Amino acid sequence: MKLNKLTGAIIATSALMLGAHTALAAEVEVLHWWTSGGEAKSVVELKKMMEAKGDSWKDFAVSGGGGENAMTVLKSRVVAGNPPTAAQIKGPSIQEWGAEGVLADLSSTAAAGKWDSLLPPVVSKVMKYKGNYVAVPVNVHRVNWMWVNPEVFKKAGAKVPTTWAEFPAAADKLQKAGFIAIAHGGQPWQDFTIFETVVLGTGGPEFFQKALVELDPGALNSATMEKSFNNFRMLRKYVDKDFSGRDWNLATQMVIQGKAGVQFMGDWAKGEFTAAGKKPGVDYLCVDAPGTKGDYTFNIDSFVMFKQSSPDAAKGQEDLANAIMSPQFQEVFNLNKGSIPARLDVSMAKFDDCAKKSNADFVASSKGGSLLPSIAHGMAVPAASAGAIQDVVTQFFNSEMTTKMAIEKLAAAAKMK
Ligand code: BGC
């Protein structure tokens, strides 16, 4: 990401000008992309908490799953010298924004709140730029889930698959019984979400780390990657004809309503099941995606604050950071969102079995070396490389591109910086 060199100066000047007109109560303008049913219920909890602190919330929601639209809008606001107070940014992008010199330093708030002792290192590391906190984590999402409608499986006489090799037999039965096997939304980030899960389930955690985190040329150009693409292509025949462009939450609805058997999606999908009043283990199942038992691709949502010079804005930012890190928020937000708290000390007592499994697998996988950053959700590599790889994955899924060609293109895309 490259912003105009003048950006920092423009921001400072416009912040001063804004400061001169600011009213007493701090207004926080917060950019996010949480617009689905479950997401909206979650973000409203943050708004309520800020209002209880006497701050006013200016909602800056930019719809579009995965956040690509939100990031485009954010860049134009920052380049115009008018950044929001806070924005949902995550993973290596935090470093890219940090390097632009536009992020507020949250060190003193973090030190006062003892964030270092409350957050697991895998989380706190992502939140820091040059050793200082510049971001606040709201949750940990797990990506490698398969959401199952058990009733649909029962009616079709199909067994829930645990490997990619088992998948076609189950999916054929679902289709023969008149169901859509896979509820999918054909948007590049959703294709990429499935792809990374397939790579993990095909090659295992070490392979995932080499190929999709380190972008190791040998792993990218390997028989295992070829097998991954073949498995990915196999899934293409199990989506319905209307899949192109469909939003992820509409795909989740297809599972909820018993039209489809499964969806491969991170546990923000659980937020939709929860919002629809559905119970895990009864109305739906959360199971490890085929071949990924106990492995964990993580996706941590977080907020950064942009430098502002008015004291009111700084108060609003401190309030927001403290609200996000509070155990009350971490509990209620994540109960709605489908994720688990980023803080280690929040009780899991009120959480359902899927969240408890996520929590247990998070801890176990971090010890066993299979806790991995999601490339599809901006946690593993810089945005430019992730975007270029995503393009290849989407083109492959939506064309007759050969596996050999896909691997060649993948190697070229991985070199994008
Ligand atoms: C975010 C989630 C969000 C999902 C769908 C992911 O990248 O981390 O918080 O619910 O996209 O928009």
Side-chain angles (χ1 to χ4, degrees):
M1 180 187 58
K2 292 279 171 284
L3 299 176
N4 187 316
K5 276 195 180 156
L6 287 176
T7 311
I10 300 172
I11 293 168
T13 318
S14 49
L16 276 174
M17 283 158 49
L18 277 175
H21 300 287
T22 330
L24 276 177
E27 179 185 86
V28 290
E29 186 185 23
V30 184
L31 178 136
H32 61 90
W33 63 88
W34 290 328
T35 54
S36 76
E39 291 174 333
K41 277 183 92 166
S42 314
V43 77
V44 104
E45 295 298 336
L46 189 54
K47 174 176 188 250
K48 281 199 275 188
M49 239 171 233
M50 288 301 284
E51 286 171 350
K53 286 175 188 273
D55 299 309
S56 69
W57 175 274
K58 190 169 174 198
D59 202 47
F60 185 4
V62 180
S63 63
E68 254 170 61
N69 299 346
M71 290 306 101
T72 307
V73 174
L74 176 65
K75 273 179 208 158
S76 63
R77 277 281 301 265
V78 177
V79 169
N82 182 24
T85 325
Q88 186 186 350
I89 295 184
K90 48 188 188 162
S93 288
I94 295 173
Q95 303 303 313
E96 296 176 37
W97 283 101
E100 298 291 339
V102 292
L103 300 187
D105 184 352
L106 306 174
S107 303
S108 57
T109 312
K114 301 196 169 55
W115 294 5
D116 266 341
S117 65
L118 297 172
L119 297 172
V122 70
V123 176
S124 59
K125 202 175 130 214
V126 183
M127 304 300 135
K128 291 178 183 175
Y129 175 66
K130 295 201 169 153
N132 293 327
Y133 278 97
V134 292
V136 203
V138 299
N139 63 7
V140 179
H141 271 302
R142 182 189 197 172
V143 181
N144 59 314
W145 289 111
M146 179 166 76
W147 304 93
V148 174
N149 184 315
E151 192 61 28
V152 167
F153 270 74
K154 203 169 147 210
K155 283 186 188 152
K159 185 177 151 285
V160 176
T162 57
T163 63
W164 291 116
E166 283 173 18
F167 193 83
D172 285 338
K173 282 194 174 167
L174 295 174
Q175 284 193 334
K176 270 205 194 99
F179 298 105
I180 296 160
I182 305 174
H184 180 53
Q187 295 173 347
W189 73 273
Q190 294 187 59
D191 298 339
F192 203 17
T193 300
I194 299 196
F195 178 75
E196 73 168 27
T197 297
V198 170
V199 171
L200 180 61
T202 307
E206 268 173 45
F207 179 74
F208 184 101
Q209 168 73 26
K210 276 225 154 330
L212 298 184
V213 183
E214 293 165 21
L215 305 181
D216 174 77
L220 291 171
N221 187 359
S222 65
T224 309
M225 187 51 87
E226 207 172 321
K227 204 170 158 207
S228 302
F229 271 109
N230 288 337
N231 280 338
F232 185 49
R233 163 99 1 110
M234 172 271 288
L235 300 182
R236 175 67 178 77
K237 64 175 190 278
Y238 296 119
V239 304
D240 67 318
K241 65 175 185 13
D242 300 322
F243 82 108
S244 278
R246 176 188 287 135
D247 286 334
W248 67 272
N249 51 316
L250 300 181
T252 312
Q253 287 303 325
M254 290 160 63
V255 178
I256 293 176
Q257 291 163 9
K259 293 182 183 149
V262 305
Q263 181 185 23
F264 299 104
M265 188 50 68
D267 42 23
W268 45 95
K270 201 186 75 189
E272 303 306 300
F273 285 99
T274 308
K278 301 296 178 191
K279 298 273 166 284
V282 181
D283 306 309
Y284 69 97
L285 312 176
C286 51
V287 300
D288 303 274
T292 71
K293 190 157 192 271
D295 303 338
Y296 198 115
T297 37
F298 67 84
N299 169 26
I300 305 163
D301 284 312
S302 52
F303 282 93
V304 298
M305 315 281 165
F306 284 92
K307 275 184 189 162
Q308 320 260 336
S309 50
S310 99
D312 286 349
K315 178 203 172 272
Q317 292 179 328
E318 196 180 334
D319 286 351
L320 185 62
N322 284 329
I324 290 173
M325 277 297 286
S326 69
Q328 296 84 345
F329 170 77
Q330 295 264 330
E331 180 180 77
V332 70
F333 177 88
N334 289 305
L335 281 170
N336 285 300
K337 188 72 169 63
S339 34
I340 56 172
R343 279 178 67 142
L344 289 168
D345 62 339
V346 177
S347 160
M348 293 300 293
K350 289 194 192 149
F351 285 83
D352 61 29
D353 288 348
C354 300
K356 286 185 179 137
K357 173 173 165 52
S358 173
N359 195 46
D361 286 350
F362 179 77
V363 174
S365 65
S366 73
K367 291 182 186 140
S370 61
L371 180 62
L372 300 155
S374 160
I375 186 170
H377 291 276
M379 301 304 298
V381 302
S385 324
I389 295 174
Q390 176 175 285
D391 287 348
V392 176
V393 165
T394 289
Q395 281 169 23
F396 176 82
F397 199 64
N398 291 291
S399 71
E400 300 297 312
M401 189 193 290
T402 61
T403 305
K404 195 171 166 290
M405 175 74 88
I407 285 176
E408 273 167 30
K409 282 179 176 263
L410 197 66
K415 292 193 186 119
M416 286 286 295
K417 287 271 173 336

mmCIF file of all heavy atoms in Angstrom, residues 41-65:
data_model
loop_
_atom_site.group_PDB
_atom_site.id
_atom_site.type_symbol
_atom_site.label_atom_id
_atom_site.label_comp_id
_atom_site.label_asym_id
_atom_site.label_seq_id
_atom_site.Cartn_x
_atom_site.Cartn_y
_atom_site.Cartn_z
ATOM 1 N N LYS A 41 -25.774 -7.242 14.716
ATOM 2 C CA LYS A 41 -26.109 -7.422 16.133
ATOM 3 C C LYS A 41 -24.868 -7.301 17.006
ATOM 4 O O LYS A 41 -24.928 -6.863 18.156
ATOM 5 C CB LYS A 41 -26.719 -8.826 16.361
ATOM 6 C CG LYS A 41 -28.204 -8.867 16.053
ATOM 7 C CD LYS A 41 -28.778 -10.226 16.352
ATOM 8 C CE LYS A 41 -29.319 -10.300 17.764
ATOM 9 N NZ LYS A 41 -30.165 -11.476 17.968
ATOM 10 N N SER A 42 -23.729 -7.728 16.466
ATOM 11 C CA SER A 42 -22.485 -7.681 17.230
ATOM 12 C C SER A 42 -21.982 -6.251 17.376
ATOM 13 O O SER A 42 -21.638 -5.807 18.471
ATOM 14 C CB SER A 42 -21.399 -8.511 16.544
ATOM 15 O OG SER A 42 -21.902 -9.754 16.142
ATOM 16 N N VAL A 43 -21.963 -5.520 16.277
ATOM 17 C CA VAL A 43 -21.351 -4.194 16.311
ATOM 18 C C VAL A 43 -22.195 -3.221 17.134
ATOM 19 O O VAL A 43 -21.683 -2.288 17.752
ATOM 20 C CB VAL A 43 -21.054 -3.675 14.875
ATOM 21 C CG1 VAL A 43 -22.275 -3.179 14.171
ATOM 22 C CG2 VAL A 43 -19.976 -2.598 14.898
ATOM 23 N N VAL A 44 -23.489 -3.489 17.199
ATOM 24 C CA VAL A 44 -24.359 -2.612 17.987
ATOM 25 C C VAL A 44 -23.961 -2.639 19.473
ATOM 26 O O VAL A 44 -24.127 -1.658 20.193
ATOM 27 C CB VAL A 44 -25.851 -3.005 17.740
ATOM 28 C CG1 VAL A 44 -26.452 -3.783 18.872
ATOM 29 C CG2 VAL A 44 -26.682 -1.791 17.428
ATOM 30 N N GLU A 45 -23.355 -3.726 19.903
ATOM 31 C CA GLU A 45 -22.916 -3.823 21.303
ATOM 32 C C GLU A 45 -21.796 -2.823 21.581
ATOM 33 O O GLU A 45 -21.700 -2.266 22.666
ATOM 34 C CB GLU A 45 -22.436 -5.249 21.621
ATOM 35 C CG GLU A 45 -23.514 -6.312 21.544
ATOM 36 C CD GLU A 45 -24.643 -6.102 22.551
ATOM 37 O OE1 GLU A 45 -24.415 -5.438 23.581
ATOM 38 O OE2 GLU A 45 -25.763 -6.595 22.283
ATOM 39 N N LEU A 46 -20.950 -2.608 20.581
ATOM 40 C CA LEU A 46 -19.853 -1.651 20.755
ATOM 41 C C LEU A 46 -20.407 -0.232 20.782
ATOM 42 O O LEU A 46 -19.999 0.597 21.600
ATOM 43 C CB LEU A 46 -18.837 -1.828 19.612
ATOM 44 C CG LEU A 46 -17.523 -1.075 19.732
ATOM 45 C CD1 LEU A 46 -16.830 -1.374 21.052
ATOM 46 C CD2 LEU A 46 -16.593 -1.438 18.575
ATOM 47 N N LYS A 47 -21.350 0.008 19.904
ATOM 48 C CA LYS A 47 -21.988 1.318 19.850
ATOM 49 C C LYS A 47 -22.629 1.641 21.205
ATOM 50 O O LYS A 47 -22.434 2.717 21.771
ATOM 51 C CB LYS A 47 -23.053 1.284 18.737
ATOM 52 C CG LYS A 47 -23.896 2.518 18.635
ATOM 53 C CD LYS A 47 -24.833 2.403 17.429
ATOM 54 C CE LYS A 47 -25.548 3.707 17.181
ATOM 55 N NZ LYS A 47 -26.944 3.715 17.468
ATOM 56 N N LYS A 48 -23.362 0.654 21.760
ATOM 57 C CA LYS A 48 -24.040 0.872 23.052
ATOM 58 C C LYS A 48 -23.018 1.199 24.136
ATOM 59 O O LYS A 48 -23.221 2.076 24.960
ATOM 60 C CB LYS A 48 -24.822 -0.394 23.460
ATOM 61 C CG LYS A 48 -26.156 -0.543 22.745
ATOM 62 C CD LYS A 48 -27.089 -1.498 23.483
ATOM 63 C CE LYS A 48 -26.862 -2.922 23.117
ATOM 64 N NZ LYS A 48 -27.681 -3.972 23.535
ATOM 65 N N MET A 49 -21.903 0.486 24.119
ATOM 66 C CA MET A 49 -20.891 0.686 25.153
ATOM 67 C C MET A 49 -20.268 2.072 25.051
ATOM 68 O O MET A 49 -19.978 2.713 26.046
ATOM 69 C CB MET A 49 -19.816 -0.378 25.021
ATOM 70 C CG MET A 49 -19.700 -1.204 26.274
ATOM 71 S SD MET A 49 -18.629 -2.608 26.009
ATOM 72 C CE MET A 49 -19.715 -3.893 26.558
ATOM 73 N N MET A 50 -20.051 2.526 23.831
ATOM 74 C CA MET A 50 -19.459 3.856 23.639
ATOM 75 C C MET A 50 -20.447 4.932 24.069
ATOM 76 O O MET A 50 -20.069 5.919 24.696
ATOM 77 C CB MET A 50 -19.057 4.051 22.171
ATOM 78 C CG MET A 50 -17.855 3.232 21.771
ATOM 79 S SD MET A 50 -16.400 3.624 22.772
ATOM 80 C CE MET A 50 -15.905 5.192 22.051
ATOM 81 N N GLU A 51 -21.700 4.721 23.762
ATOM 82 C CA GLU A 51 -22.700 5.718 24.149
ATOM 83 C C GLU A 51 -22.829 5.785 25.668
ATOM 84 O O GLU A 51 -23.019 6.850 26.232
ATOM 85 C CB GLU A 51 -24.039 5.434 23.450
ATOM 86 C CG GLU A 51 -23.941 5.826 21.978
ATOM 87 C CD GLU A 51 -25.125 5.408 21.106
ATOM 88 O OE1 GLU A 51 -25.985 4.631 21.601
ATOM 89 O OE2 GLU A 51 -25.170 5.835 19.946
ATOM 90 N N ALA A 52 -22.666 4.630 26.316
ATOM 91 C CA ALA A 52 -22.724 4.617 27.788
ATOM 92 C C ALA A 52 -21.556 5.406 28.387
ATOM 93 O O ALA A 52 -21.637 5.903 29.507
ATOM 94 C CB ALA A 52 -22.694 3.174 28.290
ATOM 95 N N LYS A 53 -20.473 5.535 27.628
ATOM 96 C CA LYS A 53 -19.327 6.321 28.103
ATOM 97 C C LYS A 53 -19.489 7.802 27.744
ATOM 98 O O LYS A 53 -18.578 8.607 27.935
ATOM 99 C CB LYS A 53 -18.022 5.806 27.463
ATOM 100 C CG LYS A 53 -17.512 4.472 28.006
ATOM 101 C CD LYS A 53 -16.279 4.027 27.198
ATOM 102 C CE LYS A 53 -15.819 2.632 27.542
ATOM 103 N NZ LYS A 53 -14.882 2.574 28.663
ATOM 104 N N GLY A 54 -20.607 8.164 27.130
ATOM 105 C CA GLY A 54 -20.865 9.557 26.769
ATOM 106 C C GLY A 54 -20.308 9.947 25.405
ATOM 107 O O GLY A 54 -20.306 11.121 25.051
ATOM 108 N N ASP A 55 -19.825 8.988 24.641
ATOM 109 C CA ASP A 55 -19.301 9.300 23.312
ATOM 110 C C ASP A 55 -20.391 9.072 22.271
ATOM 111 O O ASP A 55 -21.318 8.290 22.498
ATOM 112 C CB ASP A 55 -18.106 8.382 22.994
ATOM 113 C CG ASP A 55 -16.971 8.583 23.979
ATOM 114 O OD1 ASP A 55 -16.573 9.742 24.189
ATOM 115 O OD2 ASP A 55 -16.497 7.581 24.556
ATOM 116 N N SER A 56 -20.272 9.764 21.154
ATOM 117 C CA SER A 56 -21.290 9.492 20.138
ATOM 118 C C SER A 56 -20.675 8.691 18.991
ATOM 119 O O SER A 56 -19.534 8.902 18.596
ATOM 120 C CB SER A 56 -21.967 10.774 19.669
ATOM 121 O OG SER A 56 -21.073 11.550 18.948
ATOM 122 N N TRP A 57 -21.445 7.773 18.504
ATOM 123 C CA TRP A 57 -20.989 6.782 17.524
ATOM 124 C C TRP A 57 -21.451 7.194 16.142
ATOM 125 O O TRP A 57 -22.648 7.383 15.903
ATOM 126 C CB TRP A 57 -21.611 5.435 17.903
ATOM 127 C CG TRP A 57 -21.344 4.317 16.945
ATOM 128 C CD1 TRP A 57 -22.054 4.008 15.821
ATOM 129 C CD2 TRP A 57 -20.309 3.338 17.046
ATOM 130 N NE1 TRP A 57 -21.532 2.897 15.216
ATOM 131 C CE2 TRP A 57 -20.456 2.462 15.937
ATOM 132 C CE3 TRP A 57 -19.274 3.101 17.952
ATOM 133 C CZ2 TRP A 57 -19.604 1.372 15.727
ATOM 134 C CZ3 TRP A 57 -18.430 2.019 17.740
ATOM 135 C CH2 TRP A 57 -18.596 1.164 16.642
ATOM 136 N N LYS A 58 -20.512 7.368 15.244
ATOM 137 C CA LYS A 58 -20.881 7.640 13.855
ATOM 138 C C LYS A 58 -20.541 6.389 13.058
ATOM 139 O O LYS A 58 -19.365 6.065 12.874
ATOM 140 C CB LYS A 58 -20.098 8.846 13.350
ATOM 141 C CG LYS A 58 -20.588 9.354 12.022
ATOM 142 C CD LYS A 58 -19.950 10.695 11.699
ATOM 143 C CE LYS A 58 -20.330 11.136 10.295
ATOM 144 N NZ LYS A 58 -19.427 12.177 9.820
ATOM 145 N N ASP A 59 -21.574 5.706 12.629
ATOM 146 C CA ASP A 59 -21.376 4.423 11.967
ATOM 147 C C ASP A 59 -20.885 4.633 10.532
ATOM 148 O O ASP A 59 -21.475 5.378 9.774
ATOM 149 C CB ASP A 59 -22.708 3.669 11.955
ATOM 150 C CG ASP A 59 -22.497 2.189 11.794
ATOM 151 O OD1 ASP A 59 -21.638 1.639 12.502
ATOM 152 O OD2 ASP A 59 -23.178 1.582 10.954
ATOM 153 N N PHE A 60 -19.791 3.978 10.186
ATOM 154 C CA PHE A 60 -19.242 4.079 8.837
ATOM 155 C C PHE A 60 -19.130 2.643 8.313
ATOM 156 O O PHE A 60 -18.062 2.053 8.278
ATOM 157 C CB PHE A 60 -17.881 4.778 8.920
ATOM 158 C CG PHE A 60 -17.204 5.087 7.607
ATOM 159 C CD1 PHE A 60 -17.804 4.839 6.376
ATOM 160 C CD2 PHE A 60 -15.933 5.661 7.603
ATOM 161 C CE1 PHE A 60 -17.156 5.124 5.182
ATOM 162 C CE2 PHE A 60 -15.273 5.954 6.412
ATOM 163 C CZ PHE A 60 -15.883 5.688 5.205
ATOM 164 N N ALA A 61 -20.302 2.085 7.979
ATOM 165 C CA ALA A 61 -20.336 0.695 7.522
ATOM 166 C C ALA A 61 -20.233 0.665 5.996
ATOM 167 O O ALA A 61 -20.946 1.389 5.314
ATOM 168 C CB ALA A 61 -21.632 0.041 7.964
ATOM 169 N N VAL A 62 -19.322 -0.134 5.480
ATOM 170 C CA VAL A 62 -19.182 -0.309 4.029
ATOM 171 C C VAL A 62 -19.416 -1.788 3.756
ATOM 172 O O VAL A 62 -18.593 -2.628 4.124
ATOM 173 C CB VAL A 62 -17.772 0.091 3.551
ATOM 174 C CG1 VAL A 62 -17.645 -0.103 2.034
ATOM 175 C CG2 VAL A 62 -17.460 1.538 3.924
ATOM 176 N N SER A 63 -20.559 -2.110 3.142
ATOM 177 C CA SER A 63 -20.883 -3.528 3.006
ATOM 178 C C SER A 63 -19.963 -4.213 1.998
ATOM 179 O O SER A 63 -19.352 -3.564 1.144
ATOM 180 C CB SER A 63 -22.352 -3.706 2.624
ATOM 181 O OG SER A 63 -22.554 -3.120 1.386
ATOM 182 N N GLY A 64 -19.890 -5.517 2.124
ATOM 183 C CA GLY A 64 -19.026 -6.323 1.264
ATOM 184 C C GLY A 64 -18.226 -7.276 2.125
ATOM 185 O O GLY A 64 -17.319 -6.844 2.847
ATOM 186 N N GLY A 65 -18.609 -8.561 2.076
ATOM 187 C CA GLY A 65 -17.937 -9.559 2.896
ATOM 188 C C GLY A 65 -16.434 -9.563 2.660
ATOM 189 O O GLY A 65 -15.965 -9.269 1.556
#
